Amino acid sequence: MELDVITDDELAAMALAADPDAKLDEDAVSLWNVGLEESEELLPAWYMPSPMARTRLLQGWRRSVVLVLIASFILINAAGLCVTYGWVQFG
């Protein structure tokens, strides 16, 4: 069974040839309601799915490196210094 493949050019030609004032059928279904369960999401899952099921927690030396970096930035800023351009300077 072969599927008909529509190219981008064909799709663009069909969109440009379509009547913008055409009336919708009575049984037309909104694309927002197709295959969706009731949710409070701002965007539907088919439009922008989440990249992962959950975030992975850092452990071991990676966690220590992240905590040291965060603490150093906080301490540098608390001391009134600036690290915006990579070099520690007086802000």
Side-chain angles (χ1 to χ4, degrees):
M1 177 176 169
E2 276 189 43
L3 297 174
D4 293 333
V5 178
I6 300 174
T7 65
D8 287 338
D9 293 334
E10 292 172 333
L11 189 60
M14 290 187 330
L16 291 172
D19 180 17
D21 297 324
K23 299 291 182 197
L24 294 176
D25 293 335
E26 290 295 324
D27 59 346
V29 179
S30 171
L31 186 59
W32 293 99
N33 298 331
V34 175
L36 296 177
E37 62 278 349
E38 293 294 323
S39 68
E40 296 296 320
E41 301 282 329
L42 293 177
L43 292 173
W46 58 263
Y47 182 77
M48 186 177 287
S50 60
M52 307 181 195
R54 65 182 184 97
T55 59
R56 193 176 85 193
L57 297 176
L58 295 177
Q59 296 177 350
W61 67 271
R62 291 184 181 111
R63 184 177 191 163
S64 300
V65 169
V66 169
L67 291 176
V68 166
L69 282 173
I70 292 171
S72 65
F73 284 127
I74 290 173
L75 288 174
I76 288 171
N77 287 321
L81 301 173
C82 180
V83 291
T84 302
Y85 299 108
W87 299 100
V88 178
Q89 305 173 20
F90 289 107

